[in-house]
Amino acid sequence: MITTRQFALGALAASVMLASQASIAEITDNEIRIGYLVDMSGVYRDPIGPLGLDAIQMAIEDVGGSVAGADIVVFSADDRNSADVGSSVVREWIDQQNVDMVTGLVASSVTLAAVRLLEEENRLGLVNGAVSSGVTNESCSPNHIHWVYDTWAMSNGTARAITQEGNPNWYLLSADYSFGHALESDVERVVLENGGNIVGKARHPFPSTDFSSFMLQAQASGADVIALNNAGGDTINAIATASEFGITQAGQILAGMVLFSTDVRSIGLEDAQGLQFTKAWFYDRDEESRAWAERFRERTGSMPTMVHAGLYSSTLHYLQAVDAIGTDEAQAVREQMAATPINDIFAKGGYIREDGRMVHDMYLVEVKSPEEAADEDDLFRLVRTIPAEEAFRPLSDSQCHLVNNGA
């Protein structure tokens, strides 16, 4: 819920900003230039990848193809999950193409490198794919917004629910890079806060195809729950290996911390049934979400993931902000975005905090059995809605310098 005070402050910020428009440049180059930077060919291709461009184009179409009299141009690139590649692309976009906003941003290493450049050059970043909660905690900046999810929210929803259901002993299997480390830390915190124990840990290379030794270690630990602190192809491969070893059949719970609908389809309901995990959005949330998802499927041949929905939502909110104030200057656009609640197919009553976190409801879901599913797209049962104020790290625990400076 957004308080009356938040709305009042937002209205005040908007009025001050609008009053000072004469001092702010108008649309540079008479174009809004957007860069879409993601993994197009690796482990995150299916849940985000090329289809994210369709989500962005849908947002552009829904604002009529232009804003404030300016055309909208989109550039895209494959970062190959490399911070060096991603940095090089963003630098070129800024220097050669004068890009106003960069979105996508999946691997945490790529994201953190990119947002540093965006802050240096006063451009805006809309982070949709990266999960590390550090993006708007210790690595926050006035030049980027974290839209879909983060490790704090994903672990808080899933680990708390499973631990409180009477499964205290956890084994943590994590991808060995910043995202996996952040998720491991957040899961451990939630488990311990809810009276559980960590009985073992292991980290696997990113990406990995052979999880046999890791799953044997997890199985031998005697843990009630094996947490998969990874994503994309790594999660799919880990679940497939667990199924081969009969881990869930023997009574251990497999908890996927970041799962996409594409992952569940790849795994199959037979092996994925009963998995509980937290989602930022799913297409059967309500009629509006389902209608947008059907539009997306007609266009692409596939149902959208939560990141595809986030790309649409964040791009739409950005373009509406530019249109409202008539400038693409990064700080003015961010202020307008923060002053305006998010009410669309992705979130109702969402809002952007001073640390750059877009706060919205999250959802704990369970994968249906093959017998329960009405069709191939009927994948999830809603277990409970996690209210926005419970879903994300409270500002009182924030290490973001933007929050501390305002204290």
Side-chain angles (χ1 to χ4, degrees):
M1 294 290 291
I2 305 176
T3 65
T4 302
R5 179 173 178 273
Q6 284 171 315
F7 273 120
L9 289 173
L12 176 61
S15 65
V16 171
M17 183 168 47
L18 289 170
S20 62
Q21 284 308 300
S23 65
I24 297 176
E26 295 181 355
I27 307 296
T28 54
D29 308 309
N30 201 36
E31 289 182 340
I32 303 300
R33 298 180 178 180
I34 297 171
Y36 177 56
L37 181 67
V38 293
D39 171 14
M40 293 283 198
S41 54
V43 295
Y44 301 128
R45 172 186 168 84
D46 289 342
I48 305 170
L51 295 188
L53 274 172
D54 289 278
I56 291 169
Q57 290 294 343
M58 287 170 70
I60 293 171
E61 291 166 8
D62 286 351
V63 297
S66 64
V67 292
D71 292 334
I72 303 164
V73 179
V74 180
F75 303 89
S76 66
D78 185 349
D79 61 33
R80 292 182 284 170
N81 289 315
S82 164
D84 290 341
V85 172
S87 295
S88 177
V89 169
V90 173
R91 171 55 65 192
E92 180 184 355
W93 279 346
I94 292 172
D95 292 345
Q96 304 298 323
Q97 307 297 342
N98 203 17
V99 159
D100 301 296
M101 183 269 280
V102 175
T103 189
L105 300 170
V106 182
S108 298
S109 57
V110 175
T111 299
L112 294 176
V115 297
R116 280 193 290 269
L117 281 173
L118 294 172
E119 183 177 11
E120 289 174 9
E121 300 294 337
N122 193 33
R123 309 303 166 94
L124 197 61
L126 301 183
V127 181
N128 282 277
V131 196
S132 174
S133 60
V135 169
T136 49
N137 195 35
E138 63 270 17
S139 298
C140 72
S141 87
N143 287 78
H144 69 270
I145 298 168
H146 204 177
W147 206 264
V148 177
Y149 45 29
D150 61 33
T151 53
W152 201 100
M154 302 299 267
S155 60
N156 185 54
T158 307
R160 181 169 63 174
I162 294 176
T163 304
Q164 290 180 349
E165 286 171 3
N167 305 289
N169 299 314
W170 286 65
Y171 186 94
L172 309 182
L173 178 58
S174 310
D176 194 9
Y177 75 111
S178 55
F179 150 63
H181 301 170
L183 192 50
E184 176 187 280
S185 176
D186 282 333
V187 170
E188 182 170 2
R189 172 187 53 79
V190 173
V191 169
L192 295 178
E193 285 177 354
N194 286 274
N197 309 294
I198 307 300
V199 300
K201 299 180 185 179
R203 291 176 174 176
H204 67 80
F206 168 75
S208 289
T209 56
D210 185 1
F211 280 86
S212 299
S213 63
F214 297 109
M215 281 302 166
L216 288 173
Q217 292 174 44
Q219 189 175 41
S221 73
D224 301 310
V225 187
I226 302 169
L228 303 179
N229 302 317
N230 48 25
D234 287 337
T235 300
I236 293 170
N237 291 332
I239 292 174
T241 303
S243 179
E244 290 173 11
F245 291 166
I247 286 176
T248 55
Q249 295 89 327
Q252 287 177 297
I253 296 170
L254 210 58
M257 289 298 139
V258 181
L259 271 170
F260 298 93
S261 52
T262 48
D263 300 332
V264 174
R265 287 194 193 87
S266 180
I267 297 162
L269 293 183
E270 189 65 43
D271 290 335
Q273 62 182 305
L275 275 170
Q276 286 192 6
F277 55 97
T278 303
K279 290 182 70 65
W281 177 90
F282 61 108
Y283 44 74
D284 280 329
R285 188 192 67 174
D286 56 31
E287 290 184 4
E288 186 182 9
S289 295
R290 184 71 190 206
W292 181 83
E294 292 293 350
R295 249 182 84 198
F296 185 91
R297 178 164 61 179
E298 288 175 9
R299 183 188 189 106
T300 66
S302 300
M303 291 296 273
T305 66
M306 55 186 164
V307 176
H308 295 146
L311 284 163
Y312 170 86
S313 172
S314 57
T315 304
L316 183 68
H317 199 65
Y318 169 78
L319 293 173
Q320 289 171 337
V322 173
D323 196 41
I325 62 176
T327 178
D328 54 6
E329 197 279 322
Q331 295 307 309
V333 175
R334 176 174 163 140
E335 286 185 47
Q336 176 66 19
M337 292 176 73
T340 310
I342 295 94
N343 289 297
D344 57 24
I345 60 95
F346 181 81
K348 300 299 181 189
Y351 62 96
I352 298 165
R353 298 191 312 201
E354 53 262 53
D355 60 350
R357 175 68 258 171
M358 199 281 269
V359 178
H360 54 86
D361 291 347
M362 298 284 286
Y363 308 94
L364 183 67
V365 301
E366 182 174 278
V367 178
K368 292 183 176 181
S369 68
E371 294 73 29
E372 292 176 291
D375 56 47
E376 64 179 5
D377 292 318
D378 185 20
L379 304 176
F380 309 118
R381 176 178 68 84
L382 178 64
V383 176
R384 77 179 186 95
T385 298
I386 305 167
E389 299 299 336
E390 294 178 17
F392 294 93
R393 184 198 310 274
L395 282 177
S396 58
D397 293 342
S398 177
Q399 299 175 41
C400 172
H401 68 279
L402 300 172
V403 175
N404 294 336
N405 286 347

